[in-house]
Amino acid sequence: MDSQIQNTSLQRLQNVEKRIITVLELTGGVMEELANPSGPRKDLINNHCSEFMQLIKDIQVTLREEIKSACEYRPFEKCDYVPRISNEICSQKLECVIAQLDDMKQTAEDYHGTA
């Protein structure tokens, strides 16, 4: 994974952490308002709840995207190990065939030389 992609991913996850803290602060504010002796202010609770729901949706979307991105990550996708080893094996096989052909040529020359 490129370091730039990792940094942006980490930044998005850090933003999710900040949103979670804001969500907790909002819920604390609602709890304080509900505990208010003069009674809760409905408009404040509605605003806090609307902001709470929007933040939760944003958090879910970001986490889904990060999970999807992590699932798409294939660290060995650009690895050339398998083709490189295959080429090395083919090269060794060719060297073996060439050696056998040289032996056959030598045998044929020896046969014709004695005949």
Side-chain angles (χ1 to χ4, degrees):
M1 188 178 265
D2 295 331
S3 62
Q4 185 179 10
I5 293 171
Q6 285 178 331
N7 286 338
T8 57
S9 179
L10 288 175
Q11 289 168 350
R12 285 191 295 265
L13 291 174
Q14 286 173 340
N15 288 335
V16 165
E17 285 182 54
K18 291 175 185 174
R19 287 187 196 139
I20 290 171
I21 291 169
T22 304
V23 164
L24 294 173
E25 290 171 347
L26 284 171
T27 56
V30 168
M31 295 302 288
E32 286 178 9
E33 192 60 33
L34 289 173
N36 190 350
S38 62
R41 293 175 285 186
K42 190 173 184 179
D43 60 332
L44 184 77
I45 291 179
N46 283 339
N47 288 340
H48 279 17
C49 288
S50 295
E51 191 175 348
F52 172 87
M53 291 305 293
Q54 185 59 49
L55 284 169
I56 292 295
K57 287 178 185 177
D58 293 344
I59 290 168
Q60 286 177 330
V61 168
T62 304
L63 289 177
R64 280 189 192 117
E65 288 172 357
E66 289 305 311
I67 290 169
K68 182 180 176 187
S69 174
C71 290
E72 292 171 351
Y73 174 60
R74 290 175 175 75
F76 301 111
E77 191 170 86
K78 295 180 182 177
C79 178
D80 68 340
Y81 177 78
V82 173
R84 197 166 28 94
I85 293 301
S86 293
N87 287 342
E88 185 66 29
I89 291 170
C90 287
S91 175
Q92 290 178 3
K93 285 180 180 178
L94 285 174
E95 287 174 10
C96 214
V97 168
I98 289 171
Q100 289 177 351
L101 287 173
D102 286 343
D103 288 345
M104 289 172 65
K105 180 180 176 186
Q106 185 62 41
T107 303
E109 287 173 356
D110 290 346
Y111 177 76
H112 289 297
T114 57

